[in-house]
Short mmCIF file of all heavy atoms in Angstrom, two decimals:
data_model
loop_
_atom_site.label_atom_id
_atom_site.label_comp_id
_atom_site.label_asym_id
_atom_site.label_seq_id
_atom_site.Cartn_x
_atom_site.Cartn_y
_atom_site.Cartn_z
N ARG A 184 -47.12 -21.85 66.95
CA ARG A 184 -47.71 -21.20 68.12
C ARG A 184 -47.21 -19.77 68.32
O ARG A 184 -47.56 -19.12 69.30
CB ARG A 184 -47.41 -22.04 69.37
CG ARG A 184 -48.17 -23.36 69.39
CD ARG A 184 -47.52 -24.36 70.34
NE ARG A 184 -48.28 -25.60 70.42
CZ ARG A 184 -48.25 -26.56 69.49
NH1 ARG A 184 -47.50 -26.39 68.39
NH2 ARG A 184 -48.96 -27.66 69.63
N GLY A 185 -46.36 -19.29 67.42
CA GLY A 185 -45.86 -17.92 67.54
C GLY A 185 -44.86 -17.73 68.66
O GLY A 185 -44.73 -16.63 69.21
N VAL A 186 -44.14 -18.80 69.02
CA VAL A 186 -43.14 -18.74 70.08
C VAL A 186 -41.76 -18.47 69.47
O VAL A 186 -41.37 -19.11 68.49
CB VAL A 186 -43.12 -20.06 70.87
CG1 VAL A 186 -42.00 -20.08 71.90
CG2 VAL A 186 -44.47 -20.28 71.56
N ALA A 187 -41.02 -17.54 70.05
CA ALA A 187 -39.69 -17.22 69.54
C ALA A 187 -38.74 -18.39 69.76
O ALA A 187 -38.77 -19.05 70.81
CB ALA A 187 -39.15 -15.97 70.24
N ILE A 188 -37.88 -18.64 68.77
CA ILE A 188 -36.94 -19.76 68.83
C ILE A 188 -35.55 -19.25 69.19
O ILE A 188 -35.03 -18.32 68.57
CB ILE A 188 -36.88 -20.49 67.48
CG1 ILE A 188 -38.23 -21.11 67.14
CG2 ILE A 188 -35.78 -21.56 67.48
CD1 ILE A 188 -38.31 -21.65 65.72
N GLY A 189 -34.95 -19.88 70.21
CA GLY A 189 -33.58 -19.57 70.59
C GLY A 189 -32.71 -20.80 70.48
O GLY A 189 -33.19 -21.92 70.70
N ALA A 190 -31.45 -20.62 70.13
CA ALA A 190 -30.51 -21.73 70.05
C ALA A 190 -29.90 -21.97 71.42
O ALA A 190 -29.21 -21.10 71.96
CB ALA A 190 -29.41 -21.43 69.03
N GLN A 191 -30.20 -23.14 72.00
CA GLN A 191 -29.62 -23.47 73.29
C GLN A 191 -28.33 -24.26 73.07
O GLN A 191 -28.34 -25.46 72.86
CB GLN A 191 -30.59 -24.28 74.17
CG GLN A 191 -30.07 -24.39 75.59
CD GLN A 191 -31.03 -25.09 76.52
OE1 GLN A 191 -31.77 -25.96 76.09
NE2 GLN A 191 -31.00 -24.73 77.78
N VAL A 192 -27.22 -23.54 73.09
CA VAL A 192 -25.92 -24.10 72.75
C VAL A 192 -25.24 -24.66 74.00
O VAL A 192 -25.49 -24.20 75.11
CB VAL A 192 -25.04 -23.06 72.07
CG1 VAL A 192 -25.67 -22.61 70.75
CG2 VAL A 192 -24.82 -21.84 72.97
N SER A 193 -24.36 -25.62 73.80
CA SER A 193 -23.81 -26.35 74.94
C SER A 193 -22.42 -26.87 74.63
O SER A 193 -21.97 -26.89 73.48
CB SER A 193 -24.73 -27.54 75.26
OG SER A 193 -24.16 -28.40 76.23
N TYR A 194 -21.73 -27.31 75.70
CA TYR A 194 -20.56 -28.15 75.50
C TYR A 194 -20.99 -29.42 74.76
O TYR A 194 -22.15 -29.85 74.86
CB TYR A 194 -19.95 -28.55 76.83
CG TYR A 194 -19.26 -27.45 77.60
CD1 TYR A 194 -19.61 -27.18 78.92
CD2 TYR A 194 -18.25 -26.69 77.02
CE1 TYR A 194 -18.97 -26.19 79.65
CE2 TYR A 194 -17.61 -25.69 77.73
CZ TYR A 194 -17.98 -25.43 79.05
OH TYR A 194 -17.35 -24.45 79.76
N ARG A 195 -20.04 -30.06 74.09
CA ARG A 195 -20.33 -31.34 73.42
C ARG A 195 -20.33 -32.43 74.49
O ARG A 195 -19.31 -33.02 74.82
CB ARG A 195 -19.27 -31.63 72.36
CG ARG A 195 -19.63 -32.82 71.46
CD ARG A 195 -18.40 -33.29 70.71
NE ARG A 195 -17.87 -32.28 69.80
CZ ARG A 195 -18.15 -32.23 68.50
NH1 ARG A 195 -18.93 -33.16 67.96
NH2 ARG A 195 -17.64 -31.28 67.75
N ASP A 196 -21.51 -32.69 75.07
CA ASP A 196 -21.59 -33.56 76.25
C ASP A 196 -22.96 -34.22 76.35
O ASP A 196 -23.74 -33.94 77.27
CB ASP A 196 -21.30 -32.74 77.51
CG ASP A 196 -21.30 -33.58 78.79
OD1 ASP A 196 -21.04 -34.80 78.70
OD2 ASP A 196 -21.56 -33.01 79.86
N LEU A 197 -23.28 -35.11 75.42
CA LEU A 197 -24.56 -35.81 75.47
C LEU A 197 -24.69 -36.67 76.72
O LEU A 197 -25.74 -36.73 77.35
CB LEU A 197 -24.74 -36.68 74.22
CG LEU A 197 -25.22 -35.98 72.95
CD1 LEU A 197 -25.17 -36.94 71.78
CD2 LEU A 197 -26.62 -35.42 73.12
N ALA A 198 -23.61 -37.37 77.08
CA ALA A 198 -23.68 -38.28 78.23
C ALA A 198 -23.94 -37.54 79.54
O ALA A 198 -24.63 -38.03 80.42
CB ALA A 198 -22.40 -39.09 78.33
N GLY A 199 -23.41 -36.32 79.64
CA GLY A 199 -23.59 -35.55 80.87
C GLY A 199 -24.66 -34.49 80.78
O GLY A 199 -24.79 -33.66 81.68
N PHE A 200 -25.43 -34.49 79.69
CA PHE A 200 -26.50 -33.53 79.48
C PHE A 200 -25.98 -32.10 79.54
O PHE A 200 -26.70 -31.17 79.92
CB PHE A 200 -27.62 -33.74 80.50
CG PHE A 200 -28.95 -33.13 80.11
CD1 PHE A 200 -29.64 -33.57 79.00
CD2 PHE A 200 -29.49 -32.10 80.87
CE1 PHE A 200 -30.85 -32.99 78.64
CE2 PHE A 200 -30.72 -31.53 80.52
CZ PHE A 200 -31.39 -31.97 79.40
N GLY A 201 -24.73 -31.91 79.17
CA GLY A 201 -24.17 -30.57 79.15
C GLY A 201 -23.98 -29.94 80.50
O GLY A 201 -23.74 -28.73 80.61
N ARG A 202 -24.03 -30.73 81.56
CA ARG A 202 -23.92 -30.19 82.91
C ARG A 202 -22.56 -30.48 83.55
O ARG A 202 -22.39 -30.28 84.75
CB ARG A 202 -25.06 -30.72 83.78
CG ARG A 202 -26.40 -30.08 83.38
CD ARG A 202 -27.54 -30.52 84.23
NE ARG A 202 -28.76 -29.76 83.85
CZ ARG A 202 -29.98 -30.20 83.99
NH1 ARG A 202 -30.19 -31.41 84.54
NH2 ARG A 202 -31.02 -29.48 83.62
N ARG A 203 -21.60 -30.93 82.72
CA ARG A 203 -20.24 -31.13 83.20
C ARG A 203 -19.35 -30.04 82.61
O ARG A 203 -19.30 -29.87 81.40
CB ARG A 203 -19.73 -32.52 82.80
CG ARG A 203 -20.55 -33.64 83.41
CD ARG A 203 -20.01 -35.00 83.07
NE ARG A 203 -20.12 -35.31 81.63
CZ ARG A 203 -19.92 -36.52 81.13
NH1 ARG A 203 -19.58 -37.53 81.92
NH2 ARG A 203 -20.05 -36.73 79.83
N GLU A 204 -18.66 -29.31 83.47
CA GLU A 204 -17.81 -28.23 82.99
C GLU A 204 -16.63 -28.80 82.21
O GLU A 204 -16.04 -29.81 82.61
CB GLU A 204 -17.32 -27.39 84.17
CG GLU A 204 -16.64 -26.11 83.75
CD GLU A 204 -16.44 -25.15 84.90
OE1 GLU A 204 -17.45 -24.75 85.52
OE2 GLU A 204 -15.28 -24.83 85.18
N MET A 205 -16.27 -28.15 81.12
CA MET A 205 -15.19 -28.62 80.26
C MET A 205 -14.25 -27.47 79.92
O MET A 205 -14.68 -26.32 79.77
CB MET A 205 -15.75 -29.21 78.96
CG MET A 205 -16.61 -30.44 79.16
SD MET A 205 -17.20 -31.11 77.58
CE MET A 205 -17.89 -32.67 78.14
N ASP A 206 -12.97 -27.80 79.80
CA ASP A 206 -11.98 -26.83 79.34
C ASP A 206 -11.80 -27.01 77.84
O ASP A 206 -11.12 -27.93 77.39
CB ASP A 206 -10.65 -27.02 80.08
CG ASP A 206 -10.73 -26.58 81.53
OD1 ASP A 206 -11.38 -25.55 81.79
OD2 ASP A 206 -10.17 -27.26 82.40
N VAL A 207 -12.43 -26.17 77.08
CA VAL A 207 -12.39 -26.23 75.62
C VAL A 207 -11.62 -25.02 75.11
O VAL A 207 -11.88 -23.89 75.54
CB VAL A 207 -13.82 -26.24 75.02
CG1 VAL A 207 -13.76 -26.41 73.52
CG2 VAL A 207 -14.65 -27.36 75.65
N ALA A 208 -10.68 -25.27 74.21
CA ALA A 208 -9.89 -24.17 73.66
C ALA A 208 -10.82 -23.15 73.00
O ALA A 208 -11.81 -23.53 72.36
CB ALA A 208 -8.90 -24.71 72.63
N PRO A 209 -10.54 -21.85 73.16
CA PRO A 209 -11.44 -20.82 72.63
C PRO A 209 -11.79 -21.00 71.16
O PRO A 209 -12.96 -20.87 70.78
CB PRO A 209 -10.65 -19.53 72.87
CG PRO A 209 -9.83 -19.82 74.07
CD PRO A 209 -9.43 -21.25 73.93
N GLU A 210 -10.81 -21.29 70.31
CA GLU A 210 -11.09 -21.46 68.89
C GLU A 210 -12.05 -22.62 68.64
O GLU A 210 -12.97 -22.52 67.80
CB GLU A 210 -9.79 -21.68 68.11
CG GLU A 210 -9.99 -21.76 66.61
CD GLU A 210 -8.70 -21.99 65.85
OE1 GLU A 210 -7.69 -22.35 66.49
OE2 GLU A 210 -8.69 -21.81 64.62
N GLU A 211 -11.85 -23.71 69.38
CA GLU A 211 -12.73 -24.87 69.23
C GLU A 211 -14.13 -24.57 69.75
O GLU A 211 -15.13 -24.93 69.12
CB GLU A 211 -12.14 -26.07 69.98
CG GLU A 211 -12.95 -27.35 69.87
CD GLU A 211 -12.34 -28.51 70.63
OE1 GLU A 211 -11.26 -28.34 71.22
OE2 GLU A 211 -12.97 -29.59 70.65
N LEU A 212 -14.21 -23.88 70.87
CA LEU A 212 -15.51 -23.55 71.45
C LEU A 212 -16.28 -22.62 70.51
O LEU A 212 -17.49 -22.82 70.29
CB LEU A 212 -15.33 -22.89 72.82
CG LEU A 212 -16.62 -22.55 73.58
CD1 LEU A 212 -17.48 -23.78 73.80
CD2 LEU A 212 -16.29 -21.88 74.91
N THR A 213 -15.61 -21.65 69.94
CA THR A 213 -16.27 -20.75 68.99
C THR A 213 -16.85 -21.54 67.81
O THR A 213 -18.00 -21.34 67.40
CB THR A 213 -15.28 -19.70 68.47
OG1 THR A 213 -14.86 -18.87 69.55
CG2 THR A 213 -15.94 -18.81 67.40
N ALA A 214 -16.05 -22.46 67.28
CA ALA A 214 -16.51 -23.26 66.13
C ALA A 214 -17.70 -24.14 66.51
O ALA A 214 -18.65 -24.29 65.72
CB ALA A 214 -15.37 -24.12 65.61
N GLU A 215 -17.68 -24.72 67.69
CA GLU A 215 -18.79 -25.60 68.11
C GLU A 215 -20.07 -24.81 68.35
O GLU A 215 -21.17 -25.30 68.05
CB GLU A 215 -18.37 -26.39 69.35
CG GLU A 215 -17.27 -27.40 69.06
CD GLU A 215 -17.04 -28.38 70.18
OE1 GLU A 215 -17.48 -28.10 71.33
OE2 GLU A 215 -16.43 -29.44 69.93
N ILE A 216 -19.96 -23.61 68.91
CA ILE A 216 -21.15 -22.78 69.11
C ILE A 216 -21.70 -22.32 67.76
O ILE A 216 -22.92 -22.34 67.52
CB ILE A 216 -20.82 -21.57 70.00
CG1 ILE A 216 -20.31 -22.01 71.37
CG2 ILE A 216 -22.06 -20.68 70.14
CD1 ILE A 216 -21.23 -22.96 72.12
N LEU A 217 -20.81 -21.93 66.85
CA LEU A 217 -21.22 -21.52 65.52
C LEU A 217 -21.95 -22.65 64.80
O LEU A 217 -22.99 -22.44 64.15
CB LEU A 217 -19.99 -21.08 64.72
CG LEU A 217 -20.21 -20.65 63.27
CD1 LEU A 217 -21.16 -19.46 63.19
CD2 LEU A 217 -18.86 -20.30 62.63
N TYR A 218 -21.43 -23.84 64.92
CA TYR A 218 -22.04 -25.03 64.31
C TYR A 218 -23.47 -25.22 64.81
O TYR A 218 -24.39 -25.46 64.02
CB TYR A 218 -21.18 -26.24 64.67
CG TYR A 218 -21.66 -27.58 64.14
CD1 TYR A 218 -21.14 -28.11 62.96
CD2 TYR A 218 -22.61 -28.32 64.83
CE1 TYR A 218 -21.56 -29.34 62.48
CE2 TYR A 218 -23.05 -29.55 64.36
CZ TYR A 218 -22.51 -30.06 63.18
OH TYR A 218 -22.93 -31.29 62.72
N GLN A 219 -23.67 -25.09 66.12
CA GLN A 219 -25.00 -25.32 66.70
C GLN A 219 -26.00 -24.25 66.27
O GLN A 219 -27.15 -24.55 65.94
CB GLN A 219 -24.89 -25.37 68.23
CG GLN A 219 -24.08 -26.56 68.74
CD GLN A 219 -23.88 -26.50 70.25
OE1 GLN A 219 -24.81 -26.74 71.03
NE2 GLN A 219 -22.67 -26.18 70.68
N ILE A 220 -25.58 -23.00 66.30
CA ILE A 220 -26.48 -21.92 65.89
C ILE A 220 -26.90 -22.10 64.44
O ILE A 220 -28.09 -22.00 64.09
CB ILE A 220 -25.82 -20.54 66.07
CG1 ILE A 220 -25.49 -20.28 67.54
CG2 ILE A 220 -26.73 -19.43 65.54
CD1 ILE A 220 -24.62 -19.05 67.76
N ALA A 221 -25.92 -22.38 63.58
CA ALA A 221 -26.20 -22.52 62.15
C ALA A 221 -27.13 -23.69 61.88
O ALA A 221 -28.04 -23.60 61.04
CB ALA A 221 -24.89 -22.68 61.38
N ALA A 222 -26.91 -24.80 62.58
CA ALA A 222 -27.75 -25.98 62.37
C ALA A 222 -29.20 -25.70 62.74
O ALA A 222 -30.13 -25.99 61.97
CB ALA A 222 -27.21 -27.16 63.19
N LEU A 223 -29.41 -25.11 63.91
CA LEU A 223 -30.78 -24.86 64.35
C LEU A 223 -31.45 -23.80 63.48
O LEU A 223 -32.63 -23.91 63.14
CB LEU A 223 -30.83 -24.45 65.81
CG LEU A 223 -32.25 -24.29 66.36
CD1 LEU A 223 -32.97 -25.62 66.44
CD2 LEU A 223 -32.25 -23.62 67.73
N ASP A 224 -30.70 -22.76 63.12
CA ASP A 224 -31.28 -21.70 62.31
C ASP A 224 -31.70 -22.23 60.94
O ASP A 224 -32.75 -21.85 60.41
CB ASP A 224 -30.29 -20.55 62.14
CG ASP A 224 -30.94 -19.31 61.54
OD1 ASP A 224 -32.08 -18.99 61.92
OD2 ASP A 224 -30.31 -18.67 60.68
N GLY A 225 -30.89 -23.12 60.36
CA GLY A 225 -31.26 -23.70 59.07
C GLY A 225 -32.55 -24.49 59.16
O GLY A 225 -33.43 -24.39 58.29
N ILE A 226 -32.70 -25.27 60.22
CA ILE A 226 -33.92 -26.05 60.43
C ILE A 226 -35.11 -25.12 60.70
O ILE A 226 -36.20 -25.31 60.15
CB ILE A 226 -33.72 -27.05 61.58
CG1 ILE A 226 -32.75 -28.15 61.14
CG2 ILE A 226 -35.06 -27.66 62.01
CD1 ILE A 226 -32.37 -29.12 62.25
N ALA A 227 -34.89 -24.12 61.53
CA ALA A 227 -35.97 -23.18 61.86
C ALA A 227 -36.46 -22.46 60.61
O ALA A 227 -37.68 -22.28 60.41
CB ALA A 227 -35.50 -22.17 62.90
N ARG A 228 -35.55 -22.05 59.75
CA ARG A 228 -35.94 -21.35 58.52
C ARG A 228 -36.70 -22.28 57.58
O ARG A 228 -37.63 -21.83 56.88
CB ARG A 228 -34.70 -20.76 57.84
CG ARG A 228 -34.13 -19.57 58.58
CD ARG A 228 -32.86 -19.02 57.95
NE ARG A 228 -32.29 -17.95 58.74
CZ ARG A 228 -32.64 -16.66 58.65
NH1 ARG A 228 -33.55 -16.29 57.77
NH2 ARG A 228 -32.08 -15.76 59.42
N ALA A 229 -36.35 -23.54 57.55
CA ALA A 229 -37.09 -24.50 56.72
C ALA A 229 -38.52 -24.67 57.20
O ALA A 229 -39.41 -25.05 56.43
CB ALA A 229 -36.37 -25.85 56.73
N GLU A 230 -38.77 -24.36 58.48
CA GLU A 230 -40.11 -24.47 59.05
C GLU A 230 -40.83 -23.13 59.12
O GLU A 230 -41.89 -23.02 59.73
CB GLU A 230 -40.02 -25.09 60.46
CG GLU A 230 -39.47 -26.51 60.48
CD GLU A 230 -40.26 -27.45 59.60
OE1 GLU A 230 -41.51 -27.34 59.57
OE2 GLU A 230 -39.65 -28.30 58.93
N GLY A 231 -40.25 -22.10 58.50
CA GLY A 231 -40.91 -20.80 58.47
C GLY A 231 -40.54 -19.86 59.58
O GLY A 231 -41.17 -18.80 59.73
N GLY A 232 -39.54 -20.20 60.36
CA GLY A 232 -39.10 -19.32 61.44
C GLY A 232 -37.63 -19.00 61.30
O GLY A 232 -37.06 -19.10 60.22
N ARG A 233 -37.01 -18.61 62.41
CA ARG A 233 -35.56 -18.39 62.44
C ARG A 233 -35.11 -18.33 63.89
O ARG A 233 -35.94 -18.10 64.80
CB ARG A 233 -35.17 -17.10 61.72
CG ARG A 233 -35.66 -15.82 62.37
CD ARG A 233 -35.17 -14.60 61.60
NE ARG A 233 -35.65 -13.35 62.18
CZ ARG A 233 -35.00 -12.67 63.13
NH1 ARG A 233 -33.88 -13.16 63.64
NH2 ARG A 233 -35.49 -11.52 63.59
N VAL A 234 -33.84 -18.52 64.12
CA VAL A 234 -33.28 -18.34 65.46
C VAL A 234 -33.24 -16.85 65.77
O VAL A 234 -32.72 -16.05 65.00
CB VAL A 234 -31.87 -18.95 65.56
CG1 VAL A 234 -31.15 -18.47 66.81
CG2 VAL A 234 -31.94 -20.48 65.56
#
Side-chain angles (χ1 to χ4, degrees):
R184 290 160 177 78
V186 175
I188 297 171
Q191 191 176 31
V192 298
S193 172
Y194 289 127
R195 190 196 297 263
D196 183 26
L197 279 173
F200 199 64
R202 288 182 175 153
R203 298 183 293 191
E204 191 167 300
M205 296 182 170
D206 288 321
V207 184
E210 184 180 14
E211 181 180 358
L212 183 58
T213 296
E215 292 192 342
I216 300 305
L217 179 60
Y218 179 97
Q219 294 175 73
I220 298 170
L223 185 68
D224 191 41
I226 290 174
R228 288 177 184 274
E230 297 304 321
R233 67 178 178 89
V234 166

